Amino acid sequence: MEIEKIISQIEQQKNLPNLNLSIKTKTEAFTHKLFYTLFDKQTAVKDNLMELGMDFEVLAKLVCWEPGSPCQDIWKDYLQMLPGILEKLNLDAQAIAINDPAANSVEEVYLSYPGFFAIATYRLSHEFYKFGLPLVPRLMTECAHSITGTDINPGAKIGKSFFIDHATGVVIGETAVIKDNVKIYQGVTLGALTVNRTLRNIKRHPTIESNVTIYANATILGGETVIGANSVIGGNVWLTKSVPENSMVSHTPQISIKNSIEK
């Protein structure tokens, strides 16, 4: 096949005029710069905030191609929220340091814990999501997802002092609600019962009340499912119904252990 024909066939199928892959790379750079601005002691806050404002202006022009998209003045309003977001993130870091005996310092949490990076990126993206900014919030959380293996949709509502241990494989859906002082371990899914486009804008992910602990690989599904406060959900549990507060839910597999050496 002649090269001109190949080129023509490829170009004919590139029919999404607003599909610009630089949006993804620019959003990833923007996310990392935000993280440095808030946490790195050596980073000049004033200079970085000015650079971030210019970076955001570029991003806004790339993603707000629909008429009436809410991009004007978002950065100015978002700036007002950054101190409050940082306050919540510091509480998250302290919760991890207090609850994980493997944490040697709060600095270690900021520098090395994938769960903290995922939570931080979620909180930074969530306010953009609430503004209705297209694409950027989702790309921010996908940046954390690719690095940490933790998938938190920016639309989820998460309270104070949130702790994700080990992080890998955690999935938190768009309409999930998580109250204060919740602890989640690796492999936990807070998902929907079914995947159907007609469920858009309907609550389809569970609500986790305050002071709940959810151990590894538990799966909790459904928009009407509520895990009551102070409950403990054991590892590998599969839940599609609510449980009352102060509950302990466990999954008991049948395990057989035999000596493999015959005597």
Side-chain angles (χ1 to χ4, degrees), residues 12-41:
Q12 286 174 17
Q13 295 187 67
K14 293 176 68 172
N15 52 13
L16 294 173
N18 298 309
L19 181 52
N20 185 337
L21 290 181
S22 73
I23 296 171
K24 182 176 180 180
T25 55
K26 290 180 187 298
T27 300
E28 290 171 351
F30 178 80
T31 302
H32 287 294
K33 189 177 288 186
L34 259 177
F35 195 86
Y36 266 75
T37 302
L38 293 180
F39 299 112
D40 182 52
K41 189 66 175 178

PDB file of all heavy atoms in Angstrom, residues 12-41:
ATOM      1  N   GLN A  12      -8.403  10.412   7.691  1.00  0.00           N
ATOM      2  CA  GLN A  12      -9.862  10.377   7.572  1.00  0.00           C
ATOM      3  C   GLN A  12     -10.525   9.934   8.870  1.00  0.00           C
ATOM      4  O   GLN A  12     -11.663  10.307   9.165  1.00  0.00           O
ATOM      5  CB  GLN A  12     -10.269   9.441   6.433  1.00  0.00           C
ATOM      6  CG  GLN A  12     -10.022  10.009   5.043  1.00  0.00           C
ATOM      7  CD  GLN A  12     -10.296   8.990   3.943  1.00  0.00           C
ATOM      8  OE1 GLN A  12     -10.960   7.978   4.175  1.00  0.00           O
ATOM      9  NE2 GLN A  12      -9.796   9.258   2.751  1.00  0.00           N
ATOM     10  N   GLN A  13      -9.825   9.107   9.652  1.00  0.00           N
ATOM     11  CA  GLN A  13     -10.401   8.597  10.902  1.00  0.00           C
ATOM     12  C   GLN A  13     -10.075   9.465  12.115  1.00  0.00           C
ATOM     13  O   GLN A  13     -10.616   9.238  13.200  1.00  0.00           O
ATOM     14  CB  GLN A  13      -9.907   7.166  11.138  1.00  0.00           C
ATOM     15  CG  GLN A  13     -10.400   6.192  10.076  1.00  0.00           C
ATOM     16  CD  GLN A  13     -10.050   4.763  10.410  1.00  0.00           C
ATOM     17  OE1 GLN A  13     -10.557   4.194  11.375  1.00  0.00           O
ATOM     18  NE2 GLN A  13      -9.174   4.171   9.615  1.00  0.00           N
ATOM     19  N   LYS A  14      -9.211  10.443  11.931  1.00  0.00           N
ATOM     20  CA  LYS A  14      -8.931  11.396  13.022  1.00  0.00           C
ATOM     21  C   LYS A  14      -9.945  12.527  12.926  1.00  0.00           C
ATOM     22  O   LYS A  14      -9.643  13.637  12.494  1.00  0.00           O
ATOM     23  CB  LYS A  14      -7.497  11.919  12.918  1.00  0.00           C
ATOM     24  CG  LYS A  14      -6.446  10.845  13.178  1.00  0.00           C
ATOM     25  CD  LYS A  14      -5.040  11.372  12.964  1.00  0.00           C
ATOM     26  CE  LYS A  14      -4.654  12.392  13.997  1.00  0.00           C
ATOM     27  NZ  LYS A  14      -3.221  12.778  13.902  1.00  0.00           N
ATOM     28  N   ASN A  15     -11.177  12.201  13.334  1.00  0.00           N
ATOM     29  CA  ASN A  15     -12.290  13.116  13.080  1.00  0.00           C
ATOM     30  C   ASN A  15     -12.827  13.803  14.332  1.00  0.00           C
ATOM     31  O   ASN A  15     -13.941  14.306  14.343  1.00  0.00           O
ATOM     32  CB  ASN A  15     -13.434  12.363  12.381  1.00  0.00           C
ATOM     33  CG  ASN A  15     -13.835  11.103  13.128  1.00  0.00           C
ATOM     34  OD1 ASN A  15     -13.436  10.917  14.270  1.00  0.00           O
ATOM     35  ND2 ASN A  15     -14.605  10.246  12.474  1.00  0.00           N
ATOM     36  N   LEU A  16     -12.053  13.790  15.420  1.00  0.00           N
ATOM     37  CA  LEU A  16     -12.444  14.522  16.632  1.00  0.00           C
ATOM     38  C   LEU A  16     -11.584  15.777  16.722  1.00  0.00           C
ATOM     39  O   LEU A  16     -10.435  15.722  17.162  1.00  0.00           O
ATOM     40  CB  LEU A  16     -12.262  13.655  17.873  1.00  0.00           C
ATOM     41  CG  LEU A  16     -13.183  12.436  17.971  1.00  0.00           C
ATOM     42  CD1 LEU A  16     -12.783  11.568  19.161  1.00  0.00           C
ATOM     43  CD2 LEU A  16     -14.641  12.859  18.086  1.00  0.00           C
ATOM     44  N   PRO A  17     -12.099  16.921  16.329  1.00  0.00           N
ATOM     45  CA  PRO A  17     -11.274  18.123  16.223  1.00  0.00           C
ATOM     46  C   PRO A  17     -10.697  18.614  17.542  1.00  0.00           C
ATOM     47  O   PRO A  17      -9.695  19.317  17.569  1.00  0.00           O
ATOM     48  CB  PRO A  17     -12.242  19.160  15.633  1.00  0.00           C
ATOM     49  CG  PRO A  17     -13.604  18.660  15.986  1.00  0.00           C
ATOM     50  CD  PRO A  17     -13.503  17.175  15.952  1.00  0.00           C
ATOM     51  N   ASN A  18     -11.336  18.240  18.658  1.00  0.00           N
ATOM     52  CA  ASN A  18     -10.876  18.727  19.962  1.00  0.00           C
ATOM     53  C   ASN A  18     -10.033  17.713  20.730  1.00  0.00           C
ATOM     54  O   ASN A  18      -9.703  17.939  21.891  1.00  0.00           O
ATOM     55  CB  ASN A  18     -12.087  19.126  20.810  1.00  0.00           C
ATOM     56  CG  ASN A  18     -12.879  20.247  20.176  1.00  0.00           C
ATOM     57  OD1 ASN A  18     -12.323  21.271  19.803  1.00  0.00           O
ATOM     58  ND2 ASN A  18     -14.171  20.044  20.009  1.00  0.00           N
ATOM     59  N   LEU A  19      -9.709  16.577  20.086  1.00  0.00           N
ATOM     60  CA  LEU A  19      -8.893  15.565  20.751  1.00  0.00           C
ATOM     61  C   LEU A  19      -7.422  15.949  20.630  1.00  0.00           C
ATOM     62  O   LEU A  19      -6.758  15.676  19.638  1.00  0.00           O
ATOM     63  CB  LEU A  19      -9.133  14.188  20.129  1.00  0.00           C
ATOM     64  CG  LEU A  19      -8.349  13.024  20.743  1.00  0.00           C
ATOM     65  CD1 LEU A  19      -8.530  12.974  22.250  1.00  0.00           C
ATOM     66  CD2 LEU A  19      -8.750  11.710  20.112  1.00  0.00           C
ATOM     67  N   ASN A  20      -6.945  16.601  21.687  1.00  0.00           N
ATOM     68  CA  ASN A  20      -5.583  17.124  21.723  1.00  0.00           C
ATOM     69  C   ASN A  20      -4.854  16.453  22.881  1.00  0.00           C
ATOM     70  O   ASN A  20      -5.129  16.730  24.053  1.00  0.00           O
ATOM     71  CB  ASN A  20      -5.620  18.644  21.907  1.00  0.00           C
ATOM     72  CG  ASN A  20      -4.260  19.287  21.830  1.00  0.00           C
ATOM     73  OD1 ASN A  20      -3.242  18.634  22.057  1.00  0.00           O
ATOM     74  ND2 ASN A  20      -4.235  20.573  21.539  1.00  0.00           N
ATOM     75  N   LEU A  21      -3.935  15.547  22.579  1.00  0.00           N
ATOM     76  CA  LEU A  21      -3.267  14.784  23.635  1.00  0.00           C
ATOM     77  C   LEU A  21      -2.388  15.641  24.538  1.00  0.00           C
ATOM     78  O   LEU A  21      -2.020  15.214  25.635  1.00  0.00           O
ATOM     79  CB  LEU A  21      -2.438  13.655  23.012  1.00  0.00           C
ATOM     80  CG  LEU A  21      -3.254  12.517  22.381  1.00  0.00           C
ATOM     81  CD1 LEU A  21      -2.325  11.457  21.813  1.00  0.00           C
ATOM     82  CD2 LEU A  21      -4.215  11.893  23.376  1.00  0.00           C
ATOM     83  N   SER A  22      -2.072  16.839  24.112  1.00  0.00           N
ATOM     84  CA  SER A  22      -1.284  17.717  24.976  1.00  0.00           C
ATOM     85  C   SER A  22      -2.078  18.122  26.223  1.00  0.00           C
ATOM     86  O   SER A  22      -1.495  18.514  27.233  1.00  0.00           O
ATOM     87  CB  SER A  22      -0.833  18.961  24.220  1.00  0.00           C
ATOM     88  OG  SER A  22      -1.906  19.852  23.988  1.00  0.00           O
ATOM     89  N   ILE A  23      -3.419  18.015  26.143  1.00  0.00           N
ATOM     90  CA  ILE A  23      -4.238  18.304  27.327  1.00  0.00           C
ATOM     91  C   ILE A  23      -3.830  17.386  28.476  1.00  0.00           C
ATOM     92  O   ILE A  23      -3.709  17.815  29.629  1.00  0.00           O
ATOM     93  CB  ILE A  23      -5.738  18.121  27.007  1.00  0.00           C
ATOM     94  CG1 ILE A  23      -6.194  19.140  25.953  1.00  0.00           C
ATOM     95  CG2 ILE A  23      -6.587  18.271  28.271  1.00  0.00           C
ATOM     96  CD1 ILE A  23      -7.599  18.883  25.431  1.00  0.00           C
ATOM     97  N   LYS A  24      -3.592  16.121  28.169  1.00  0.00           N
ATOM     98  CA  LYS A  24      -3.223  15.149  29.198  1.00  0.00           C
ATOM     99  C   LYS A  24      -1.859  15.471  29.798  1.00  0.00           C
ATOM    100  O   LYS A  24      -1.705  15.517  31.025  1.00  0.00           O
ATOM    101  CB  LYS A  24      -3.214  13.742  28.601  1.00  0.00           C
ATOM    102  CG  LYS A  24      -2.895  12.654  29.614  1.00  0.00           C
ATOM    103  CD  LYS A  24      -2.986  11.276  28.982  1.00  0.00           C
ATOM    104  CE  LYS A  24      -2.669  10.200  30.016  1.00  0.00           C
ATOM    105  NZ  LYS A  24      -2.739   8.844  29.432  1.00  0.00           N
ATOM    106  N   THR A  25      -0.869  15.710  28.973  1.00  0.00           N
ATOM    107  CA  THR A  25       0.479  15.977  29.485  1.00  0.00           C
ATOM    108  C   THR A  25       0.530  17.305  30.245  1.00  0.00           C
ATOM    109  O   THR A  25       1.209  17.409  31.268  1.00  0.00           O
ATOM    110  CB  THR A  25       1.504  15.971  28.348  1.00  0.00           C
ATOM    111  OG1 THR A  25       1.104  16.908  27.336  1.00  0.00           O
ATOM    112  CG2 THR A  25       1.601  14.596  27.701  1.00  0.00           C
ATOM    113  N   LYS A  26      -0.205  18.294  29.755  1.00  0.00           N
ATOM    114  CA  LYS A  26      -0.226  19.585  30.456  1.00  0.00           C
ATOM    115  C   LYS A  26      -0.938  19.467  31.805  1.00  0.00           C
ATOM    116  O   LYS A  26      -0.535  20.094  32.791  1.00  0.00           O
ATOM    117  CB  LYS A  26      -0.901  20.644  29.581  1.00  0.00           C
ATOM    118  CG  LYS A  26      -0.101  21.054  28.362  1.00  0.00           C
ATOM    119  CD  LYS A  26      -0.832  22.111  27.539  1.00  0.00           C
ATOM    120  CE  LYS A  26      -0.105  22.399  26.234  1.00  0.00           C
ATOM    121  NZ  LYS A  26       1.243  22.928  26.440  1.00  0.00           N
ATOM    122  N   THR A  27      -1.984  18.655  31.856  1.00  0.00           N
ATOM    123  CA  THR A  27      -2.695  18.457  33.129  1.00  0.00           C
ATOM    124  C   THR A  27      -1.823  17.726  34.132  1.00  0.00           C
ATOM    125  O   THR A  27      -1.812  18.049  35.328  1.00  0.00           O
ATOM    126  CB  THR A  27      -4.000  17.670  32.901  1.00  0.00           C
ATOM    127  OG1 THR A  27      -4.847  18.408  32.010  1.00  0.00           O
ATOM    128  CG2 THR A  27      -4.732  17.452  34.216  1.00  0.00           C
ATOM    129  N   GLU A  28      -1.071  16.729  33.685  1.00  0.00           N
ATOM    130  CA  GLU A  28      -0.166  16.004  34.578  1.00  0.00           C
ATOM    131  C   GLU A  28       0.896  16.940  35.156  1.00  0.00           C
ATOM    132  O   GLU A  28       1.184  16.906  36.362  1.00  0.00           O
ATOM    133  CB  GLU A  28       0.488  14.848  33.822  1.00  0.00           C
ATOM    134  CG  GLU A  28      -0.488  13.721  33.497  1.00  0.00           C
ATOM    135  CD  GLU A  28       0.100  12.677  32.568  1.00  0.00           C
ATOM    136  OE1 GLU A  28       1.221  12.916  32.038  1.00  0.00           O
ATOM    137  OE2 GLU A  28      -0.537  11.639  32.356  1.00  0.00           O
ATOM    138  N   ALA A  29       1.464  17.793  34.305  1.00  0.00           N
ATOM    139  CA  ALA A  29       2.466  18.754  34.779  1.00  0.00           C
ATOM    140  C   ALA A  29       1.847  19.747  35.764  1.00  0.00           C
ATOM    141  O   ALA A  29       2.453  20.092  36.792  1.00  0.00           O
ATOM    142  CB  ALA A  29       3.070  19.490  33.589  1.00  0.00           C
ATOM    143  N   PHE A  30       0.630  20.178  35.474  1.00  0.00           N
ATOM    144  CA  PHE A  30      -0.104  21.096  36.342  1.00  0.00           C
ATOM    145  C   PHE A  30      -0.353  20.453  37.715  1.00  0.00           C
ATOM    146  O   PHE A  30      -0.162  21.093  38.759  1.00  0.00           O
ATOM    147  CB  PHE A  30      -1.433  21.451  35.668  1.00  0.00           C
ATOM    148  CG  PHE A  30      -2.331  22.357  36.459  1.00  0.00           C
ATOM    149  CD1 PHE A  30      -2.125  23.726  36.485  1.00  0.00           C
ATOM    150  CD2 PHE A  30      -3.407  21.833  37.168  1.00  0.00           C
ATOM    151  CE1 PHE A  30      -2.971  24.569  37.214  1.00  0.00           C
ATOM    152  CE2 PHE A  30      -4.245  22.660  37.892  1.00  0.00           C
ATOM    153  CZ  PHE A  30      -4.026  24.028  37.912  1.00  0.00           C
ATOM    154  N   THR A  31      -0.721  19.174  37.726  1.00  0.00           N
ATOM    155  CA  THR A  31      -0.995  18.459  38.971  1.00  0.00           C
ATOM    156  C   THR A  31       0.252  18.363  39.839  1.00  0.00           C
ATOM    157  O   THR A  31       0.213  18.621  41.051  1.00  0.00           O
ATOM    158  CB  THR A  31      -1.533  17.050  38.660  1.00  0.00           C
ATOM    159  OG1 THR A  31      -2.726  17.162  37.869  1.00  0.00           O
ATOM    160  CG2 THR A  31      -1.835  16.284  39.938  1.00  0.00           C
ATOM    161  N   HIS A  32       1.363  17.992  39.235  1.00  0.00           N
ATOM    162  CA  HIS A  32       2.610  17.868  39.994  1.00  0.00           C
ATOM    163  C   HIS A  32       3.075  19.233  40.521  1.00  0.00           C
ATOM    164  O   HIS A  32       3.579  19.321  41.649  1.00  0.00           O
ATOM    165  CB  HIS A  32       3.695  17.243  39.118  1.00  0.00           C
ATOM    166  CG  HIS A  32       3.491  15.781  38.875  1.00  0.00           C
ATOM    167  ND1 HIS A  32       3.567  14.837  39.878  1.00  0.00           N
ATOM    168  CD2 HIS A  32       3.197  15.090  37.741  1.00  0.00           C
ATOM    169  CE1 HIS A  32       3.342  13.638  39.383  1.00  0.00           C
ATOM    170  NE2 HIS A  32       3.107  13.763  38.092  1.00  0.00           N
ATOM    171  N   LYS A  33       2.875  20.279  39.739  1.00  0.00           N
ATOM    172  CA  LYS A  33       3.274  21.612  40.199  1.00  0.00           C
ATOM    173  C   LYS A  33       2.409  22.059  41.373  1.00  0.00           C
ATOM    174  O   LYS A  33       2.909  22.698  42.324  1.00  0.00           O
ATOM    175  CB  LYS A  33       3.187  22.616  39.046  1.00  0.00           C
ATOM    176  CG  LYS A  33       3.781  23.983  39.384  1.00  0.00           C
ATOM    177  CD  LYS A  33       3.750  24.932  38.194  1.00  0.00           C
ATOM    178  CE  LYS A  33       4.767  24.536  37.149  1.00  0.00           C
ATOM    179  NZ  LYS A  33       4.859  25.549  36.041  1.00  0.00           N
ATOM    180  N   LEU A  34       1.116  21.735  41.334  1.00  0.00           N
ATOM    181  CA  LEU A  34       0.238  22.040  42.464  1.00  0.00           C
ATOM    182  C   LEU A  34       0.729  21.335  43.732  1.00  0.00           C
ATOM    183  O   LEU A  34       0.776  21.927  44.816  1.00  0.00           O
ATOM    184  CB  LEU A  34      -1.185  21.573  42.159  1.00  0.00           C
ATOM    185  CG  LEU A  34      -2.214  22.608  41.712  1.00  0.00           C
ATOM    186  CD1 LEU A  34      -3.536  21.911  41.394  1.00  0.00           C
ATOM    187  CD2 LEU A  34      -2.418  23.686  42.753  1.00  0.00           C
ATOM    188  N   PHE A  35       1.104  20.069  43.595  1.00  0.00           N
ATOM    189  CA  PHE A  35       1.574  19.283  44.734  1.00  0.00           C
ATOM    190  C   PHE A  35       2.829  19.908  45.331  1.00  0.00           C
ATOM    191  O   PHE A  35       2.943  20.074  46.545  1.00  0.00           O
ATOM    192  CB  PHE A  35       1.851  17.844  44.272  1.00  0.00           C
ATOM    193  CG  PHE A  35       2.002  16.867  45.397  1.00  0.00           C
ATOM    194  CD1 PHE A  35       0.894  16.245  45.949  1.00  0.00           C
ATOM    195  CD2 PHE A  35       3.252  16.561  45.912  1.00  0.00           C
ATOM    196  CE1 PHE A  35       1.025  15.327  46.994  1.00  0.00           C
ATOM    197  CE2 PHE A  35       3.401  15.655  46.952  1.00  0.00           C
ATOM    198  CZ  PHE A  35       2.284  15.042  47.501  1.00  0.00           C
ATOM    199  N   TYR A  36       3.775  20.277  44.479  1.00  0.00           N
ATOM    200  CA  TYR A  36       5.002  20.921  44.948  1.00  0.00           C
ATOM    201  C   TYR A  36       4.689  22.254  45.633  1.00  0.00           C
ATOM    202  O   TYR A  36       5.272  22.594  46.666  1.00  0.00           O
ATOM    203  CB  TYR A  36       5.966  21.140  43.786  1.00  0.00           C
ATOM    204  CG  TYR A  36       6.972  20.036  43.609  1.00  0.00           C
ATOM    205  CD1 TYR A  36       6.591  18.817  43.062  1.00  0.00           C
ATOM    206  CD2 TYR A  36       8.304  20.188  43.996  1.00  0.00           C
ATOM    207  CE1 TYR A  36       7.498  17.787  42.900  1.00  0.00           C
ATOM    208  CE2 TYR A  36       9.221  19.165  43.839  1.00  0.00           C
ATOM    209  CZ  TYR A  36       8.820  17.971  43.291  1.00  0.00           C
ATOM    210  OH  TYR A  36       9.716  16.948  43.138  1.00  0.00           O
ATOM    211  N   THR A  37       3.782  23.015  45.056  1.00  0.00           N
ATOM    212  CA  THR A  37       3.451  24.332  45.605  1.00  0.00           C
ATOM    213  C   THR A  37       2.914  24.218  47.023  1.00  0.00           C
ATOM    214  O   THR A  37       3.251  25.022  47.903  1.00  0.00           O
ATOM    215  CB  THR A  37       2.416  25.026  44.710  1.00  0.00           C
ATOM    216  OG1 THR A  37       2.939  25.133  43.383  1.00  0.00           O
ATOM    217  CG2 THR A  37       2.081  26.420  45.224  1.00  0.00           C
ATOM    218  N   LEU A  38       2.097  23.210  47.268  1.00  0.00           N
ATOM    219  CA  LEU A  38       1.464  23.074  48.568  1.00  0.00           C
ATOM    220  C   LEU A  38       2.357  22.432  49.625  1.00  0.00           C
ATOM    221  O   LEU A  38       2.226  22.735  50.813  1.00  0.00           O
ATOM    222  CB  LEU A  38       0.176  22.246  48.430  1.00  0.00           C
ATOM    223  CG  LEU A  38      -0.958  22.876  47.632  1.00  0.00           C
ATOM    224  CD1 LEU A  38      -2.162  21.947  47.595  1.00  0.00           C
ATOM    225  CD2 LEU A  38      -1.358  24.230  48.214  1.00  0.00           C
ATOM    226  N   PHE A  39       3.292  21.550  49.201  1.00  0.00           N
ATOM    227  CA  PHE A  39       3.993  20.742  50.184  1.00  0.00           C
ATOM    228  C   PHE A  39       5.513  20.928  50.230  1.00  0.00           C
ATOM    229  O   PHE A  39       6.100  20.763  51.295  1.00  0.00           O
ATOM    230  CB  PHE A  39       3.684  19.254  49.953  1.00  0.00           C
ATOM    231  CG  PHE A  39       2.229  18.931  50.083  1.00  0.00           C
ATOM    232  CD1 PHE A  39       1.497  18.542  48.979  1.00  0.00           C
ATOM    233  CD2 PHE A  39       1.584  19.039  51.300  1.00  0.00           C
ATOM    234  CE1 PHE A  39       0.149  18.248  49.086  1.00  0.00           C
ATOM    235  CE2 PHE A  39       0.234  18.750  51.421  1.00  0.00           C
ATOM    236  CZ  PHE A  39      -0.477  18.356  50.313  1.00  0.00           C
ATOM    237  N   ASP A  40       6.137  21.243  49.133  1.00  0.00           N
ATOM    238  CA  ASP A  40       7.597  21.311  49.117  1.00  0.00           C
ATOM    239  C   ASP A  40       8.095  22.591  49.775  1.00  0.00           C
ATOM    240  O   ASP A  40       7.758  23.694  49.339  1.00  0.00           O
ATOM    241  CB  ASP A  40       8.105  21.232  47.668  1.00  0.00           C
ATOM    242  CG  ASP A  40       9.620  21.256  47.614  1.00  0.00           C
ATOM    243  OD1 ASP A  40      10.253  20.452  48.315  1.00  0.00           O
ATOM    244  OD2 ASP A  40      10.177  22.104  46.875  1.00  0.00           O
ATOM    245  N   LYS A  41       8.903  22.435  50.809  1.00  0.00           N
ATOM    246  CA  LYS A  41       9.381  23.595  51.584  1.00  0.00           C
ATOM    247  C   LYS A  41      10.270  24.502  50.740  1.00  0.00           C
ATOM    248  O   LYS A  41      10.347  25.715  50.979  1.00  0.00           O
ATOM    249  CB  LYS A  41      10.151  23.094  52.817  1.00  0.00           C
ATOM    250  CG  LYS A  41      10.510  24.181  53.813  1.00  0.00           C
ATOM    251  CD  LYS A  41       9.279  24.777  54.463  1.00  0.00           C
ATOM    252  CE  LYS A  41       9.639  25.769  55.550  1.00  0.00           C
ATOM    253  NZ  LYS A  41       8.458  26.397  56.171  1.00  0.00           N
TER     254      LYS A  41
END
